[in-house]
């Protein structure tokens, strides 16, 4: 059980860090804590599964900015040298000191991640190939796909991002493509497991990413300080277990989710459901939790949690 909670720590940290402080915070939250556990498990599983797509999208934004600058100046910067104002875009997306290598290959790009140079709640380790059909994502008639090399891992931050726990990603089909100005994301049979553990996920999902007005082509200079909208759903067996024998199964849905960064939601609704009906006991008296997020001003993020007949707004 400790390892399960450790794996969910990153989501819990994100969630609690944006809550308002109060002396009776735990008492207020106690009726919905099982729902927050369901949310943590389902949302962490989905975010881990989406890491290859997230990295491909970062690459697409970097490439789109290089294309935009070439159109304006006649000179195309190397991807590692793309700058917008004071921002070094490559370092922002992939870490400092050129630790992560992006190489052109016949299929598209090959990315080898150096996780010690990426400071984020989720990081990748290993190598993956982004198959582009020789075209930028914003202009490709076919979706980009991602292929993982053996040994690929996602590292999940624990202890306030001071350490990481490795998750093996051993299988999965990933694609992202543009359709009518929107970006369609698909993932199938994403298999992840805690290193050395037998419980493995089988996760499928389909999402639509809506860029901000004017940012449809994904150039970073058209996206900075703006938000994406994220809609869709995923479901399946997760890498989490309460007994080290049976996988917890979940469904996850995002509705009009507004994201200012890959991991910080600023608006919209997330719905998570536990699909293991036999676990509906005192531990999980209800399978369903919803969280609605509202950003007030620039910094005050509020959540309305609905679980098992209880509603808590913070």
């Amino acid at each position: 059980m400790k390892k399960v909670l450790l794996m969910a720590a990153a989501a819990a940290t994100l969630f609690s860090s944006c809550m308002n402080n109060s002396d009776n915070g735990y008492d207020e939250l106690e009726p919905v804590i099982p729902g927050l556990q369901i949310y943590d498990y389902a949302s962490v599983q989905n975010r881990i599964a989406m890491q290859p797509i997230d990295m491909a999208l970062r690459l697409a934004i970097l490439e789109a900015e290089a294309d935009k600058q070439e159109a304006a100046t006649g000179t195309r910067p190397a991807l590692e040298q793309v700058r917008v104002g004071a921002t070094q875009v490559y370092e922002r997306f992939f870490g400092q000191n050129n630790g992560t290598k992006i190489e052109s290959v016949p299929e598209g790009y090959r990315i080898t991640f150096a996780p010690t140079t990426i400071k984020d709640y989720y990081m990748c380790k290993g190598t993956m190939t982004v198959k582009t059909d020789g075209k930028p994502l914003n202009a490709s008639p076919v979706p980009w796909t991602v292929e993982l090399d053996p040994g690929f891992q996602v590292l999940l931050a624990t202890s306030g991002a001071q350490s990481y726990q490795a998750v093996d990603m051993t299988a999965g089909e990933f694609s992202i493509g543009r359709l009518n100005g929107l970006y369609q994301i698909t993932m199938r049979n994403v298999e992840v497991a805690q290193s050395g553990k037998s419980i493995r996920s089988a996760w499928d999902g389909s999402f639509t990413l809506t860029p901000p007005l004017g940012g449809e082509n994904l150039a970073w200079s058209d996206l900075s300080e703006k938000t994406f909208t994220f809609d869709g759903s995923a479901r399946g067996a997760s890498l989490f277990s309460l007994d080290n024998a049976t996988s917890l199964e979940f469904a996850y849905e995002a509705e009009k989710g507004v994201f200012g960064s890959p991991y910080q939601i600023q608006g919209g609704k997330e719905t998570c459901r536990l699909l293991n009906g036999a676990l509906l006991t005192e531990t999980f008296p209800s399978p369903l939790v919803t969280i609605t997020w509202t950003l007030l001003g620039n910094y005050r993020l509020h959540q309305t949690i609905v679980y098992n007949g209880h509603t808590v707004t913070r």
Side-chain angles (χ1 to χ4, degrees):
M1 183 65 175
K2 289 182 179 179
K3 284 191 177 293
V4 175
L5 293 177
L6 184 63
M7 290 301 300
T13 299
L14 277 173
F15 189 84
S16 62
S17 67
C18 54
M19 287 185 172
N20 299 321
N21 294 323
S22 62
D23 293 337
N24 63 343
Y26 181 84
D27 292 339
E28 182 181 5
L29 280 176
E30 188 172 13
V32 299
I33 283 177
L36 292 180
Q37 290 177 322
I38 291 172
Y39 170 79
D40 277 357
Y41 295 142
S43 61
V44 168
Q45 168 63 46
N46 194 63
R47 285 169 176 162
I48 289 173
M50 290 196 67
Q51 287 311 295
I53 289 293
D54 179 31
M55 294 301 153
L57 182 61
R58 295 183 190 207
L59 173 63
I61 293 171
L62 186 64
E63 184 183 52
E65 182 60 39
D67 288 344
K68 180 179 177 181
Q69 293 184 15
E70 181 181 20
T73 66
T75 301
R76 179 183 175 83
L79 295 182
E80 293 82 359
Q81 302 301 319
V82 173
R83 302 186 68 89
V84 175
T87 301
Q88 217 286 7
V89 183
Y90 171 86
E91 289 186 1
R92 184 182 181 97
F93 286 168
F94 297 107
Q96 297 178 350
N97 303 322
N98 295 334
T100 296
K101 296 181 180 179
I102 302 176
E103 305 169 89
S104 293
V105 294
E107 301 93 333
Y109 292 99
R110 185 174 177 86
I111 308 177
T112 301
F113 296 95
T116 57
T117 66
I118 305 174
K119 296 181 180 179
D120 223 329
Y121 280 99
Y122 300 85
M123 305 188 302
C124 294
K125 179 180 180 181
T127 301
M128 73 182 205
T129 300
V130 183
K131 298 184 177 181
T132 68
D133 196 36
K135 299 177 178 62
L137 181 61
N138 59 33
S140 178
V142 297
W144 283 13
T145 59
V146 178
E147 184 176 290
L148 308 178
D149 278 13
F152 191 88
Q153 292 183 318
V154 175
L155 306 184
L156 176 63
T158 60
S159 303
Q162 298 303 309
S163 60
Y164 295 88
Q165 183 168 343
V167 175
D168 299 323
M169 185 171 286
T170 56
E173 300 175 12
F174 309 91
S175 69
I176 179 171
R178 184 175 182 179
L179 180 64
N180 298 324
L182 310 180
Y183 290 87
Q184 306 297 323
I185 295 168
T186 302
M187 50 187 175
R188 294 284 181 265
N189 193 33
V190 181
E191 184 176 291
V192 295
Q194 298 180 53
S195 295
K197 299 295 181 179
S198 60
I199 299 296
R200 296 181 177 275
S201 72
W203 196 252
D204 298 334
S206 179
F207 294 91
T208 298
L209 187 69
T210 305
L213 185 64
E216 294 83 359
N217 287 334
L218 296 181
W220 175 249
S221 53
D222 297 326
L223 298 175
S224 181
E225 308 302 327
K226 297 179 182 178
T227 56
F228 285 84
T229 303
F230 188 66
D231 297 272
S233 62
R235 65 187 295 131
S238 76
L239 78 163
F240 300 118
S241 174
L242 297 180
D243 59 7
N244 289 322
T246 304
S247 174
L248 293 174
E249 298 182 8
F250 298 100
Y252 170 87
E253 180 179 358
E255 182 180 352
K256 296 181 180 178
V258 179
F259 285 81
S261 73
Y263 313 112
Q264 183 59 71
I265 192 169
Q266 297 181 358
K269 180 179 178 181
E270 292 178 288
T271 301
C272 299
R273 182 185 293 272
L274 175 67
L275 301 179
N276 303 70
L279 294 177
L280 295 181
T281 62
E282 292 182 0
T283 303
F284 297 109
S286 171
L288 182 69
V289 61
T290 65
I291 300 180
T292 303
W293 302 83
T294 305
L295 183 65
L296 302 180
N298 293 325
Y299 303 104
R300 293 179 59 84
L301 185 61
H302 289 254
Q303 315 84 33
T304 298
I305 308 153
V306 179
Y307 179 73
N308 196 33
H310 300 276
T311 300
V312 175
T313 299
R314 293 174 60 89

